[in-house]
Amino acid sequence: MSSSSCNGSPSLNAVPTHGQPLWLLAELTYKCPLQCPYCANPLDFANRTTELTTAEWIKVFEEGRKLGAVQLGFSGGEPLVRQDLVTLIKEARQMGYYSNLITSGVGLNERKVGEFREAGLDHIQVSFQAADESVNNMLAGSKKAFEQKLKMAREVKAQGYPMVLNFVTHRHNIDQIDRIIELCVELEADYVELATCQYYGWAYENRENLLPTRAQLERAERITNEYRQKLEAAGNPIKLIFVTPDYYEERPKGCMNGWGQVFLTVTPDGTALPCHSAKMLPIEFPNVRDHTLDHIWNESFGFNHYRGYDWMKEPCRSCDDKEKDFGGCRCQAYMMTGDATNADPVCSKSEHHHLITDARAVAEQPLLHEEMLFRNEKNSKVFFRS
């Protein structure tokens, strides 16, 4: 294992600053039939039309396994759009990956679920926008999305997969958290991720429409805990995972377990990133078409840039928590302050913490307008032009 300073070149008496990329996320495509206003895809995705070929993805998977990656996620966009998905799943299984399909369920059917199972797919996660059909379809931008999701969640379960559901919660659906949980129980879900919206990409553009109040969040967490106790007492093994937003914390989370530590994303065009959102940063990230994953992970400037602690400035540099939170999220620091080396504004020690408290204050006010910027090609092209 190589070790590098933050500028990507070896330093004298250096100690290893990173581990293995245990989790490899393959963003197969940015194409998607839905238009969720909190999508994490780049704002200018419509201009990014180049995609890796089947052979190129297989090469990425092979190099990932050599580096020690054990879990492989198929994501997007909507990965079902790729016509070679069965082939990619089969190759991943032969290499020894535990593979996970992250899907909206739109485009899925009984035959495909069977093909994926036969090819060796281990896990399917179906995402919902809400438990209410009208809200779900409004956010998805499809009149048939909710019905399709219900059908496919049941089909995934019927074909022997654990049912894993994901609900992104926000101002428009968090007050129906009890109905969301009841729907999951009705569907006999095994795992449910109640993931409060994280504000990157399209979600950041729609933050005023999506960020719940503190009272809404606290109520949702209380109700979730009550359901946990009730379900456990009834012998129901369903697991409810409640993910809180960092906007209501005073210390940031250890984003991705640290920059370039265990997580590696490859985008549709082959750009390798240490997290989903890192492409926004003013850093040139390497491409798998030009370099091996070994070089990218161990030697590239992009992956070494924020490893370790040498890049930090105050208050992070002397903070007792820096080995826990690593200064927080570099993308959030850049997005909100214009400087990725700043402390994450979520931290109360940050001179920019007021940006977070101001957002909380706005969330307490009635919505001035309910129009949202939906993730679609038309809106994406506006961002590209700007």
Side-chain angles (χ1 to χ4, degrees):
M1 183 185 303
S2 66
S3 59
S4 304
S5 65
C6 65
N7 63 8
S9 59
S11 59
L12 295 176
N13 302 316
V15 296
T17 60
H18 59 282
Q20 302 167 272
L22 300 177
W23 167 250
L24 174 61
L25 184 66
E27 292 185 336
L28 300 179
T29 182
Y30 286 138
K31 296 171 184 172
C32 183
L34 304 185
Q35 54 178 1
C36 304
Y38 47 75
C39 182
N41 284 170
L43 296 172
D44 63 348
F45 75 86
N47 186 55
R48 304 183 186 190
T49 57
T50 302
E51 295 182 1
L52 296 181
T53 65
T54 305
E56 287 171 329
W57 274 119
I58 292 172
K59 181 173 178 286
V60 168
F61 300 164
E62 289 173 341
E63 292 180 355
R65 282 295 287 145
K66 289 179 182 178
L67 279 175
V70 293
Q71 188 156 337
L72 174 62
F74 295 107
S75 180
E78 174 50 69
L80 294 173
V81 172
R82 289 282 299 217
Q83 299 303 303
D84 57 356
L85 186 53
V86 171
T87 298
L88 296 177
I89 291 169
K90 189 177 298 184
E91 292 289 337
R93 166 49 67 100
Q94 291 174 353
M95 294 177 203
Y97 279 104
Y98 181 93
S99 58
N100 175 26
L101 175 64
I102 304 166
T103 177
S104 68
V106 176
L108 196 59
N109 55 44
E110 179 181 351
R111 175 184 57 81
K112 287 183 180 180
V113 175
E115 289 177 346
F116 296 158
R117 185 160 187 78
E118 185 176 348
L121 183 68
D122 294 289
H123 179 118
I124 299 176
Q125 175 185 294
V126 180
S127 64
F128 280 75
Q129 280 70 31
D132 177 271
E133 182 172 9
S134 61
V135 175
N136 186 101
N137 291 346
M138 179 273 290
L139 292 167
S142 168
K143 295 180 180 179
K144 299 180 179 179
F146 187 71
E147 182 180 347
Q148 170 70 5
K149 289 171 183 291
L150 289 178
K151 184 178 179 181
M152 287 305 102
R154 294 187 176 105
E155 185 61 39
V156 166
K157 183 81 172 184
Q159 295 208 31
Y161 279 105
M163 188 187 296
V164 184
L165 304 180
N166 173 271
F167 285 79
V168 175
T169 61
H170 43 77
R171 188 169 183 141
H172 291 270
N173 65 6
I174 198 167
D175 289 335
Q176 286 77 48
I177 195 75
D178 50 350
R179 178 64 192 119
I180 289 173
I181 296 173
E182 287 169 3
L183 175 62
C184 295
V185 173
E186 290 171 19
L187 292 172
E188 299 181 11
D190 296 283
Y191 299 91
V192 179
E193 184 177 20
L194 304 167
T196 312
C197 190
Q198 303 296 327
Y199 297 96
Y200 301 88
W202 295 85
Y204 188 72
E205 297 299 318
N206 289 300
R207 189 180 64 183
E208 289 187 12
N209 258 289
L210 296 173
L211 184 65
T213 66
R214 183 183 292 276
Q216 285 181 303
L217 182 66
E218 290 176 348
R219 174 183 177 274
E221 189 165 16
R222 174 180 56 78
I223 291 174
T224 301
N225 287 332
E226 290 171 355
Y227 268 95
R228 283 174 177 152
Q229 295 171 4
K230 183 166 61 176
L231 291 166
E232 184 179 3
N236 190 320
I238 186 173
K239 303 295 183 186
L240 302 178
I241 304 165
F242 190 90
V243 183
T244 59
D246 54 6
Y247 269 60
Y248 287 101
E249 303 287 349
E250 297 303 312
R251 290 289 182 274
K253 295 181 175 71
C255 188
M256 312 309 295
N257 291 310
W259 181 274
Q261 296 301 313
V262 297
F263 188 86
L264 193 159
T265 294
V266 179
T267 68
D269 69 356
T271 303
L273 303 171
C275 76
H276 312 70
S277 302
K279 188 66 175 170
M280 73 169 70
L281 299 175
I283 297 173
E284 184 173 347
F285 288 100
N287 194 290
V288 298
R289 285 173 164 153
D290 304 319
H291 304 282
T292 65
L293 278 191
D294 182 282
H295 170 84
I296 288 169
W297 182 258
N298 291 307
E299 305 297 336
S300 72
F301 174 82
F303 274 75
N304 280 298
H305 199 55
Y306 296 114
R307 280 175 172 153
Y309 309 104
D310 290 347
W311 61 270
M312 290 182 176
K313 57 186 181 182
E314 296 298 343
C316 297
R317 181 176 286 271
S318 60
C319 181
D320 292 337
D321 291 328
K322 69 181 181 183
E323 295 182 11
K324 297 177 183 178
D325 61 33
F326 317 108
C329 176
R330 297 303 88 222
C331 299
Q332 190 153 262
Y334 177 73
M335 185 170 55
M336 298 186 77
T337 76
D339 184 347
T341 63
N342 282 332
D344 187 331
V346 163
C347 185
S348 61
K349 296 181 181 181
S350 167
E351 65 178 309
H352 301 99
H353 187 57
H354 65 91
L355 298 173
I356 295 294
T357 57
D358 288 350
R360 295 177 195 166
V362 170
E364 296 293 334
Q365 304 301 315
L367 286 176
L368 296 178
H369 62 87
E370 295 191 8
E371 292 185 9
M372 285 188 283
L373 185 73
F374 286 92
R375 180 245 193 237
N376 55 46
E377 288 201 11
K378 177 182 177 181
N379 288 333
S380 178
K381 288 175 180 177
V382 170
F383 277 104
F384 176 66
R385 285 199 300 270
S386 62

